[in-house]
Amino acid sequence: MASPLTGIHVLDLSWVMVGPASGRYLADLGADVIKVESSRRIDPVRTLPPFKDGKPGPERSVGYHNLNAGKRCIAIDIRKPEGREIVLRLSQWADVVLESFTPGVLDELRLAYSDLSARNPKIVMASTSILGQTGPYAKGTSGVGTMGAAMSGATYQFGWPDRVPNGPWGPWTDAVTPRFIVASILAALHRRARTGQGCYLDFAQAECGIQFMMPAYYEYAAGGRIPERRGGAGSALAAPQGVYPCAGNDRWVAIDASEADRWTALRNLIGATLANREFDTLLGRLRARDRLDRAIAQWTEPRQGEAVEAALQAVGVPAHLVSRGNDLAHDPDLRSAGHFRRIDDPVIGEVEVEGPRAEFDRTPAAATARGPRIGEHTGEILREVCGLAQEDIARLMESGVLA
Amino acid sequence: MLDDIRVLEISAPETMLAGCILAALGADVVVVEPPAGSLGRRLDPYLDDIPGLERSLTWHAMNRNKRAITLDIASADGRAILAQLAAKFDAAIDSVQSRIAAAALDGIDLPDKLVRTRISAFARSGPKSAYAASDLIVMAASGAPGVSGDIDRPPLFFPVPQAMMEAGADAAIATLAGLMARDRDGQGQSAHVSARIAAMMGAMSQMLGPGAGNPEITRSGGSIAIAGVEVPSIYECADGFVLITVAFGPVFGQMTNRLAQWAAREQCLPPEIGEIPWTSFIPDLQQKKRTPAELQALVDGLKKLACNKTKEEFGAAARSLGLLASPVMNMRDVAESPQYRERGLFASTEISGRRVDVPARFAQCNNFTIEVRRPAPALSQHTVEILEGDLGLSRTEIQALFAHGII
């Protein structure tokens, strides 16, 4: 059965996370994605953990597989003229091109949208960088998603009011931006199917991050107040709502029981310590929030997080363990949904990566395959996609273009 | 790009960004709300801190470019109208509201050509599919907060609900993918998005580590400890905070070299520390060619350097020197940044009559411009227009529906 993007060709010139994660979405949706890499300049994500058995190595990063599952890989030195020509040939094959070079680099290499679209006017090309390709600060800004988060207003708001901002975990905009890239590419492909028109799309990680913070921007825009850090979980308008300590080392459970029936269910379950009349009403609970939270914490603290979650969910109270990696890896819901997919790699053997982020009833997502090794499909791509003869490939190999 | 596409959004917090993205890309998006208003209208913050169904700034932020109707989909008439409407649209997005345990379009006979995207908090058929959920609960289950924040305090969450953003963004993608399949063969289908799985994107690959023989990642606060030295990532500066990533290795370590050299030129770091090759610092440390005290000196120097600079000065230096560093911007900084202004991030709209520029353009395109064609709709603003225009209902019929509380 065909997948939603079966027959769509993607040339993925990107590296690290945003671009490859976008390519992964497209691969999951059935597109044929060719990753361009060079053994002289490997994808830096290959140097980032987690590694199989904790041992670093360019073919050992499990995170690499998670971002590049299902793609093919050609190794070429795109700075060499013959290498550049291969990229141009691939762009003639491609419907979509992804790239994440520092702004200006593709212009230097004469592989910018103008060069690629001269060969293939119908191409949909997406560039991604921290601040985009245009604007006074764009050139020279290069970096990772922690910087995107810092310039999106997100880092400033993530932390405790009495402390330096903590910032969200990891390179946050690396996880946010692919969504806007993929949605825009699909919309552009839809338009192209009707009109034949391709386009160039330019994404700034920081600007995509702002989209996830838009209510905070509106707060500033409408009233001039700068939204500040508010600390941990829980709104000032709801109680009980927050995270509570559990048994174990740094274990917590989130509980959201502010609404009347949920509060009643929680109160009945926990019993005497919540019987105090001041907790009868929402306003009473808000005013006595510290006492309320202490009473709940007293109940959760000796218990295992999973047990608290199960007990509360059994009576209809929204609750969940504040999960970490191990919890997710063993989560019965994710297991039953088949979210983790086993891949078999010649170097690292069997490991698990994540599956697609959406399911389709009629046109299923593509099966999850491992990420390619550096240059694994170079010969096949040059023969089948670029139409090169074996002797041409041998010559390119000799001249160091295919490295 | 999507000007031929019509999307019916059965409004819930987690559908809002989906409709918002599709509308930004040109689709005609109509939100369906219960007569008492969508839950999204009750999300804070409120305009001037005064609550009201037209005063939720979250609603305003997430419903630009959409039209809105009200419909009591629990009623027989409401369900019949919903089914008729579905036939007029290309795509529909709805969400399993945890209190109702069903999505609005469940059980409705949907046209074959409709692409329907159904959002649920957890996996649609797993052991947690019936869980009571909320944004906080989904985020707790995503893996990111569990590793966020200082170890002496509870895990951190964003003050802006994020599960609804994660789910909405993935629902936009799923809807568009369904439309791509339909472009090929004319057939619709249902797509399914789990908010929790969507939000796990932000947990990066941490859930894959333990199964591949790695220790679990646990909380370390905003800093990392290297050889016993606390290396922060956020530093106080003259007028706020700056982000500085001290990285090592052949690629990112070069940025640290330039950073240390700059700090030395600014007399915040002893010259000999400024000249250390940070690219090879970690192996050098292991081979005892370098000491933790040198790293501590770098951190102390960076603290001093940051204190002497404003966000703007620091940002300018980061750009010209190519550093892994940037200002930590608040929303006023975003509003005032010449970068975002000149690039065209902002589009003009209004919030309850106040003219404002909002950072609406998540993409810049050579032959398409994301516009804010209309501000977020008032409750039931387009009910008559849609029921008349799309379904051909008479004014008398529409009044009857209103008299019965169905619209």
Side-chain angles (χ1 to χ4, degrees):
Chain A
M1 177 64 85
S3 297
L5 297 187
T6 297
I8 295 292
H9 300 156
V10 180
L11 178 60
D12 184 355
L13 301 171
S14 67
W15 63 2
V16 199
M17 189 166 166
V18 171
S22 306
R24 166 82 205 265
Y25 266 101
L26 299 171
D28 283 345
L29 293 170
D32 181 359
V33 183
I34 293 180
K35 178 180 181 69
V36 175
E37 211 178 342
S38 166
S39 54
R40 297 207 182 102
R41 207 177 147 83
I42 62 168
D43 186 339
V45 85
R46 293 182 181 275
T47 69
L48 298 177
F51 299 105
K52 177 72 183 342
D53 302 324
K55 292 182 201 142
E59 304 289 5
R60 301 191 61 83
S61 168
V62 181
Y64 163 80
H65 283 284
N66 204 35
L67 292 164
N68 293 283
K71 302 177 189 175
R72 296 192 282 167
C73 180
I74 180 171
I76 37 178
D77 183 348
I78 64 171
R79 291 179 183 272
K80 292 206 156 98
E82 301 94 327
R84 174 178 174 273
E85 179 56 31
I86 292 169
V87 173
L88 288 170
R89 290 251 194 133
L90 289 171
S91 71
Q92 284 173 270
W93 162 86
D95 301 289
V96 174
V97 178
L98 291 166
E99 72 91 6
S100 63
F101 289 94
T102 299
V105 169
L106 280 188
D107 296 301
E108 287 165 28
L109 297 172
R110 292 184 298 120
L111 287 171
Y113 175 68
S114 55
D115 303 293
L116 270 51
S117 62
R119 293 281 184 102
N120 179 0
K122 286 177 70 176
I123 210 155
V124 171
M125 179 167 175
S127 291
T128 162
S129 57
I130 298 294
L131 288 177
Q133 307 291 314
T134 62
Y137 299 169
K139 296 275 188 295
T141 300
S142 158
V144 295
T146 45
M147 290 167 61
M151 292 190 278
S152 70
T155 298
Y156 182 81
Q157 281 191 259
F158 195 93
W160 297 95
D162 60 334
R163 291 187 180 174
V164 166
N166 185 99
W169 190 72
W172 181 68
T173 49
D174 276 289
V176 172
T177 310
R179 278 64 176 272
F180 294 94
I181 295 177
V182 175
S184 303
I185 286 174
L186 296 181
L189 287 173
H190 170 75
R191 178 178 67 169
R192 195 185 75 153
R194 277 185 304 138
T195 67
Q197 193 177 21
C199 66
Y200 177 64
L201 293 157
D202 167 18
F203 297 88
Q205 283 196 38
E207 293 175 348
C208 290
I210 295 168
Q211 308 304 312
F212 271 34
M213 298 299 289
M214 197 63 87
Y217 188 85
Y218 268 59
E219 182 177 356
Y220 172 72
R225 182 172 64 199
I226 298 170
E228 296 290 338
R229 292 179 289 291
R230 290 212 309 244
S235 159
L237 309 183
Q241 183 187 70
V243 295
Y244 300 88
C246 301
N249 182 21
D250 195 31
R251 305 307 341 244
W252 305 82
V253 65
I255 299 174
D256 195 342
S258 193
E259 290 177 43
D261 54 343
R262 288 163 170 179
W263 163 244
T264 304
L266 179 70
R267 197 180 205 182
N268 290 341
L269 183 75
I270 291 185
T273 53
L274 295 184
N276 195 327
R277 292 291 305 273
E278 69 181 339
F279 298 150
D280 284 356
T281 61
L282 170 64
L283 295 184
R285 294 194 295 277
L286 285 170
R287 286 173 190 152
R289 185 170 203 146
D290 288 350
R291 276 194 297 283
L292 173 66
D293 283 344
R294 271 200 301 277
I296 296 171
Q298 202 186 347
W299 185 80
T300 58
E301 201 150 19
R303 293 175 163 80
Q304 297 293 326
E306 290 91 339
V308 173
E309 174 189 315
L312 294 187
Q313 286 287 354
V315 295
V317 175
H320 201 280
L321 178 72
V322 179
S323 306
R324 294 195 306 230
N326 242 338
D327 307 313
L328 296 176
H330 297 104
D331 186 275
D333 207 53
L334 295 170
R335 288 277 154 211
S336 120
H339 183 63
F340 296 111
R341 308 286 170 95
R342 192 155 285 279
I343 57 165
D344 191 5
D345 180 83
V347 178
I348 58 174
E350 287 199 357
V351 289
E352 282 186 331
V353 298
E354 289 184 272
R357 285 178 202 278
E359 290 179 83
F360 298 86
D361 281 355
R362 195 170 61 79
T363 59
T368 304
R370 65 180 172 80
R373 296 191 307 283
I374 301 164
E376 182 177 349
H377 306 93
T378 301
E380 146 190 337
I381 291 167
L382 289 174
R383 274 192 311 275
E384 292 166 17
V385 178
C386 300
L388 294 191
Q390 200 57 45
E391 54 267 32
D392 297 328
I393 298 173
R395 190 179 45 76
L396 289 169
M397 189 75 82
E398 202 121 304
S399 60
V401 175
L402 307 181
Chain B
M1 292 183 178
L2 301 176
D3 48 295
D4 62 326
I5 295 296
R6 302 191 69 199
V7 181
L8 200 58
E9 179 194 334
I10 318 300
S11 181
E14 50 276 17
T15 64
M16 295 196 297
L17 183 59
C20 192
I21 291 172
L22 297 172
L25 294 169
D28 173 22
V29 178
V30 173
V31 297
V32 179
E33 302 181 64
S38 164
L39 283 177
R41 292 185 182 274
R42 290 183 185 270
L43 294 176
D44 66 326
Y46 310 110
L47 188 61
D48 302 329
D49 291 334
I50 299 167
L53 292 176
E54 306 300 343
R55 302 187 69 87
S56 160
L57 293 167
T58 300
W59 175 264
H60 281 279
M62 309 308 297
N63 290 280
R64 306 182 304 268
N65 285 326
K66 302 177 190 174
R67 295 188 288 166
I69 67 169
T70 47
L71 196 61
D72 175 13
I73 54 172
S75 71
D77 281 271
R79 291 185 81 71
I81 288 170
L82 192 59
Q84 289 162 37
L85 275 175
K88 301 278 179 182
F89 283 74
D90 302 286
I93 302 168
D94 64 341
S95 166
V96 182
Q97 302 285 310
S98 62
R99 311 194 131 260
I100 303 167
L105 297 170
D106 288 348
I108 287 188
D109 198 14
L110 297 171
D112 288 345
K113 71 170 185 60
L114 187 80
V115 173
R116 185 248 183 135
T117 302
R118 184 181 187 272
I119 303 170
S120 53
F122 289 87
R124 64 169 158 148
S125 57
K128 298 185 180 178
S129 59
Y131 261 24
S134 69
D135 206 282
L136 170 68
I137 299 308
V138 171
M139 285 313 290
S142 76
V147 290
S148 298
D150 298 328
I151 192 77
D152 63 334
R153 290 192 182 171
L156 283 167
F157 288 71
F158 270 112
V160 175
Q162 289 296 294
M164 68 179 199
M165 302 294 186
E166 304 272 2
D170 274 3
I173 291 173
T175 304
L176 286 161
L179 288 168
M180 287 292 294
R182 194 185 75 153
D183 284 346
R184 209 169 49 216
D185 62 19
Q187 292 293 301
Q189 64 182 314
S190 286
H192 305 267
V193 167
S194 151
R196 192 262 188 110
I197 289 173
M200 281 167 60
M201 188 89 173
M204 313 288 169
S205 295
Q206 58 161 310
M207 73 293 286
L208 305 176
N214 295 270
E216 186 183 39
I217 293 172
T218 53
R219 295 202 297 156
S220 61
S223 58
I224 49 167
I226 299 168
V229 179
E230 284 286 309
V231 183
S233 57
I234 313 277
Y235 296 75
E236 274 182 81
C237 71
D239 60 347
F241 307 97
V242 291
L243 168 83
I244 305 174
T245 304
V246 175
F248 309 100
V251 181
F252 296 124
Q254 292 178 23
M255 293 164 151
T256 307
N257 288 349
R258 295 195 288 269
L259 174 70
Q261 287 156 11
W262 177 43
R265 283 199 301 280
E266 296 280 331
Q267 325 246 303
C268 295
L269 202 59
E272 65 276 15
I273 303 292
E275 290 311 315
I276 289 173
W278 298 100
T279 42
S280 60
F281 185 76
I282 297 294
D284 290 351
L285 196 63
Q286 282 156 357
Q287 292 162 29
K288 311 264 187 240
K289 289 193 228 159
R290 293 285 162 205
T291 65
E294 291 170 319
L295 181 59
Q296 186 64 56
L298 175 67
V299 170
D300 294 342
L302 293 178
K303 285 181 181 166
K304 213 157 122 190
L305 176 71
C307 279
N308 291 342
K309 302 283 174 198
T310 64
K311 284 180 272 189
E312 189 58 38
E313 287 166 349
F314 204 90
R319 286 191 299 279
S320 70
L321 298 171
L323 307 179
L324 217 47
S326 69
V328 174
M329 295 166 73
N330 62 32
M331 286 307 177
R332 185 171 65 201
D333 299 326
V334 168
E336 293 175 354
S337 161
Q339 169 63 22
Y340 300 137
R341 287 272 152 206
E342 291 178 33
R343 189 170 142 74
L345 172 63
F346 291 91
S348 179
T349 184
E350 58 180 58
I351 303 171
S352 297
R354 289 176 208 180
R355 180 89 353 223
V356 290
D357 290 340
V358 295
R361 298 194 180 114
F362 54 77
Q364 297 288 334
C365 180
N366 64 328
N367 54 20
F368 178 81
T369 306
I370 293 173
E371 296 291 3
V372 181
R373 303 183 297 276
R374 59 172 95 233
L379 183 62
S380 204
Q381 188 179 343
H382 306 95
T383 302
V384 174
E385 178 180 312
I386 300 281
L387 293 185
E388 229 174 23
D390 273 308
L391 300 187
L393 266 56
S394 72
R395 284 289 165 99
T396 305
E397 288 171 330
I398 293 171
Q399 290 175 67
L401 291 171
F402 181 76
H404 288 81
I406 293 161
I407 60 171

